[in-house]
Coordinates of all heavy atoms in Angstrom, one line a residue:
N377 N -6.7 5.2 -17.6 CA -6.1 4.8 -18.9 C -5.4 3.5 -18.8 O -4.9 3.0 -19.8 CB -5.0 5.9 -19.3 CG -5.7 7.2 -19.7 OD1 -6.8 7.2 -20.2 ND2 -5.0 8.3 -19.4
Q442 N -12.8 6.6 -20.0 CA -12.1 6.7 -21.3 C -13.0 7.1 -22.4 O -12.6 8.0 -23.2 CB -11.4 5.4 -21.6 CG -10.1 5.2 -20.9 CD -9.3 4.0 -21.5 OE1 -9.7 3.5 -22.6 NE2 -8.3 3.6 -20.8
R443 N -14.2 6.5 -22.5 CA -15.1 6.8 -23.5 C -15.6 8.3 -23.4 O -15.7 9.0 -24.4 CB -16.3 5.9 -23.5 CG -17.2 6.0 -24.7 CD -18.3 4.9 -24.7 NE -17.7 3.6 -24.9 CZ -17.6 2.7 -24.0 NH1 -18.0 2.9 -22.7 NH2 -17.1 1.5 -24.2
D445 N -13.8 10.7 -22.1 CA -12.7 11.6 -22.5 C -12.6 11.6 -24.1 O -12.4 12.7 -24.6 CB -11.4 11.0 -22.0 CG -11.2 11.2 -20.5 OD1 -12.0 12.0 -20.0 OD2 -10.3 10.5 -19.9
R446 N -12.9 10.5 -24.7 CA -12.8 10.5 -26.2 C -13.9 11.4 -26.8 O -13.6 12.2 -27.7 CB -13.0 9.0 -26.7 CG -13.1 8.9 -28.2 CD -13.3 7.4 -28.6 NE -13.6 7.4 -30.0 CZ -12.7 7.3 -31.0 NH1 -11.4 7.3 -30.7 NH2 -13.1 7.2 -32.2
E447 N -15.1 11.3 -26.2 CA -16.2 12.1 -26.7 C -15.9 13.6 -26.5 O -16.2 14.4 -27.3 CB -17.5 11.7 -26.0 CG -18.0 10.3 -26.4 CD -18.3 10.2 -27.9 OE1 -18.9 11.2 -28.4 OE2 -18.0 9.2 -28.5
V449 N -13.0 15.0 -26.3 CA -12.0 15.5 -27.3 C -12.6 15.7 -28.7 O -12.3 16.8 -29.3 CB -10.8 14.4 -27.4 CG1 -9.9 14.8 -28.5 CG2 -10.0 14.4 -26.1
L450 N -13.4 14.8 -29.1 CA -13.9 14.9 -30.5 C -15.0 15.9 -30.6 O -15.1 16.6 -31.6 CB -14.4 13.5 -30.9 CG -13.4 12.4 -31.1 CD1 -14.0 11.1 -31.5 CD2 -12.4 12.9 -32.2
L478 N -6.8 19.2 -24.1 CA -6.6 18.2 -25.1 C -5.3 17.4 -24.9 O -5.3 16.2 -25.1 CB -6.5 18.9 -26.5 CG -7.8 19.4 -27.1 CD1 -7.5 20.2 -28.4 CD2 -8.7 18.3 -27.4
H479 N -4.3 18.1 -24.5 CA -3.0 17.3 -24.2 C -3.2 16.4 -23.1 O -2.7 15.2 -23.2 CB -1.9 18.3 -23.8 CG -0.7 17.7 -23.4 ND1 0.2 17.1 -24.2 CD2 -0.2 17.5 -22.1 CE1 1.2 16.6 -23.5 NE2 1.0 16.8 -22.2
L480 N -3.9 16.7 -22.0 CA -4.1 15.8 -20.9 C -4.9 14.6 -21.3 O -4.6 13.5 -20.8 CB -4.9 16.6 -19.8 CG -5.2 15.8 -18.5 CD1 -4.0 15.3 -17.8 CD2 -6.1 16.6 -17.6
L481 N -5.9 14.7 -22.1 CA -6.8 13.6 -22.5 C -6.2 12.7 -23.6 O -6.7 11.6 -23.8 CB -8.1 14.1 -22.9 CG -8.9 15.0 -21.9 CD1 -10.3 15.3 -22.4 CD2 -9.1 14.2 -20.6
T482 N -5.1 13.2 -24.2 CA -4.6 12.4 -25.4 C -3.1 12.0 -25.3 O -2.6 11.4 -26.1 CB -4.8 13.1 -26.7 OG1 -4.2 14.4 -26.6 CG2 -6.3 13.3 -26.9
Q483 N -2.5 12.5 -24.2 CA -1.0 12.3 -24.1 C -0.6 10.8 -23.8 O 0.5 10.4 -24.0 CB -0.4 13.2 -23.1 CG -1.0 13.1 -21.7 CD -0.6 11.9 -20.9 OE1 0.6 11.5 -21.0 NE2 -1.5 11.4 -20.1
H484 N -1.5 10.0 -23.2 CA -1.1 8.7 -22.8 C -0.8 7.8 -23.9 O -1.4 7.9 -25.0 CB -2.2 8.1 -21.9 CG -3.6 7.9 -22.6 ND1 -4.4 9.0 -22.8 CD2 -4.1 6.8 -23.1 CE1 -5.5 8.5 -23.4 NE2 -5.4 7.2 -23.6
E485 N 0.0 6.8 -23.7 CA 0.4 5.8 -24.6 C -0.5 4.5 -24.4 O -0.7 4.1 -23.3 CB 1.9 5.4 -24.5 CG 2.3 4.3 -25.4 CD 3.8 3.9 -25.2 OE1 4.4 4.5 -24.3 OE2 4.3 3.0 -25.9
Q486 N -1.0 3.9 -25.5 CA -1.8 2.8 -25.4 C -1.0 1.6 -26.0 O -0.6 1.6 -27.1 CB -3.1 2.9 -26.2 CG -4.1 3.9 -25.5 CD -5.4 4.0 -26.2 OE1 -5.5 3.9 -27.4 NE2 -6.4 4.0 -25.3
Y487 N -0.8 0.6 -25.2 CA -0.1 -0.6 -25.6 C -0.9 -1.5 -26.5 O -2.2 -1.5 -26.3 CB 0.4 -1.4 -24.3 CG 1.5 -0.7 -23.5 CD1 1.1 0.0 -22.4 CD2 2.8 -0.9 -23.8 CE1 2.1 0.6 -21.6 CE2 3.8 -0.3 -23.1 CZ 3.4 0.5 -22.0 OH 4.4 1.1 -21.2
Q518 N -9.5 -1.3 -23.4 CA -9.2 0.1 -23.5 C -10.0 0.6 -24.7 O -10.3 0.0 -25.7 CB -7.7 0.3 -23.7 CG -7.0 -0.4 -24.8 CD -5.5 -0.3 -24.8 OE1 -4.9 0.5 -24.0 NE2 -4.8 -1.1 -25.6
I519 N -10.3 1.9 -24.6 CA -11.0 2.6 -25.7 C -9.9 3.4 -26.5 O -9.2 4.2 -25.9 CB -12.0 3.6 -25.1 CG1 -13.0 2.9 -24.2 CG2 -12.7 4.4 -26.2 CD1 -13.9 1.9 -24.9
P520 N -9.9 3.2 -27.8 CA -8.9 3.9 -28.6 C -9.0 5.3 -28.5 O -10.1 5.9 -28.6 CB -9.2 3.4 -30.0 CG -10.0 2.1 -29.9 CD -10.7 2.2 -28.6
K521 N -7.9 6.0 -28.2 CA -8.0 7.5 -28.1 C -8.1 8.1 -29.5 O -7.7 7.5 -30.5 CB -6.7 8.0 -27.4 CG -5.4 7.8 -28.0 CD -4.3 8.3 -27.2 CE -3.0 8.2 -27.9 NZ -1.8 8.7 -27.1
P522 N -8.7 9.3 -29.6 CA -8.9 9.9 -30.9 C -7.6 10.1 -31.6 O -6.6 10.5 -31.0 CB -9.6 11.2 -30.5 CG -10.1 11.0 -29.2 CD -9.2 10.1 -28.5
T523 N -7.6 10.0 -32.9 CA -6.5 10.3 -33.8 C -6.6 11.7 -34.2 O -7.6 12.4 -34.1 CB -6.4 9.3 -35.0 OG1 -7.6 9.5 -35.8 CG2 -6.4 7.9 -34.5
V524 N -5.5 12.2 -34.8 CA -5.5 13.6 -35.3 C -6.5 13.7 -36.4 O -7.2 14.7 -36.5 CB -4.0 14.0 -35.8 CG1 -4.0 15.3 -36.4 CG2 -3.1 13.9 -34.6
E526 N -9.3 12.0 -36.9 CA -10.7 12.1 -36.4 C -11.0 13.4 -35.8 O -12.1 13.9 -36.0 CB -10.8 11.0 -35.3 CG -10.9 9.6 -35.8 CD -10.9 8.5 -34.7 OE1 -10.3 8.8 -33.6 OE2 -11.5 7.5 -34.9
Y527 N -10.0 14.0 -35.1 CA -10.2 15.3 -34.5 C -10.4 16.4 -35.6 O -11.3 17.2 -35.4 CB -9.1 15.7 -33.6 CG -9.2 17.0 -33.0 CD1 -10.1 17.2 -31.9 CD2 -8.5 18.1 -33.4 CE1 -10.2 18.5 -31.3 CE2 -8.6 19.4 -32.8 CZ -9.4 19.5 -31.8 OH -9.6 20.8 -31.2

Side-chain angles (χ1 to χ4, degrees):
N377 292 331
Q442 277 192 9
R443 189 175 291 108
D445 289 346
R446 176 182 171 85
E447 293 298 318
V449 169
L450 293 178
L478 284 173
H479 172 77
L480 176 64
L481 299 184
T482 59
Q483 55 77 36
H484 61 282
E485 178 183 1
Q486 291 189 319
Y487 291 94
Q518 52 190 353
I519 303 298
K521 64 180 182 180
T523 63
V524 176
E526 288 176 327
Y527 179 75

